[in-house]
Amino acid sequence: MLWFVGTVLLLALLAALLTPFLLRLEQERRQRRGDEHYRKQLQAATDDAITTAVRARLAEPVVDLHITIPMRITVGDVIARAHEDFALDVPRDHAAAMLRHRLEFRGHARWPDLITDAFDDEEDHTP
């Protein structure tokens, strides 16, 4: 009978000690899921803004074969798209970082006729 009471007390003590740890683990897991959801929505908004800029460039009429119309995409375009599509309030530095990443990933960063302000913030912060 004494071993039973000891076991119950040990399990109660163990539960009391583990509960805050398990709650913290659950909170961290939810935070990671929220961060990942935010990142995916920002990436989708950025890709949509880039696609819109590419389509606008391609829709321009060709009047002279020697003149190429530049593709314009700004950090403001990404912020506006994120707000319109997902009701996200995105900080400018997050939008600029994601725009740089997606332009490089999609191969647009090397276009000579790309006009963007995504790389302006990066140059201001380099030592």
Side-chain angles (χ1 to χ4, degrees):
M1 178 73 170
L2 187 59
W3 64 269
F4 179 73
V5 172
T7 304
V8 169
L9 287 175
L10 181 63
L11 289 175
L13 179 63
L14 189 60
L17 293 175
L18 282 180
T19 300
F21 175 72
L22 294 174
L23 289 174
R24 191 174 71 243
L25 284 177
E26 177 66 18
Q27 182 180 15
E28 290 171 1
R29 183 185 66 80
R30 286 184 185 186
Q31 180 67 36
R32 281 192 308 272
R33 287 174 75 200
D35 291 347
E36 182 67 17
H37 186 67
Y38 169 81
R39 187 196 63 76
K40 285 181 179 181
Q41 286 182 329
L42 180 56
Q43 180 176 327
T46 304
D47 284 340
D48 288 347
I50 293 171
T51 299
T52 301
V54 169
R55 288 180 179 167
R57 177 181 181 242
L58 294 175
E60 291 290 326
V62 177
V63 293
D64 188 353
L65 293 177
H66 300 290
I67 297 175
T68 56
I69 299 168
M71 182 177 86
R72 290 181 173 85
I73 179 78
T74 65
V75 174
D77 295 335
V78 173
I79 292 171
R81 182 58 68 111
H83 186 70
E84 290 171 11
D85 292 352
F86 302 108
L88 284 180
D89 291 325
V90 179
R92 184 170 176 75
D93 59 335
H94 289 187
M98 183 60 76
L99 182 56
R100 284 191 301 268
H101 168 69
R102 296 310 292 174
L103 285 171
E104 290 170 1
F105 180 80
R106 293 172 63 155
H108 297 299
R110 304 287 180 229
W111 283 16
D113 57 345
L114 171 68
I115 297 176
T116 184
D117 59 351
F119 296 96
D120 295 346
D121 296 337
E122 184 181 61
E123 292 171 0
D124 293 341
H125 299 298
T126 54

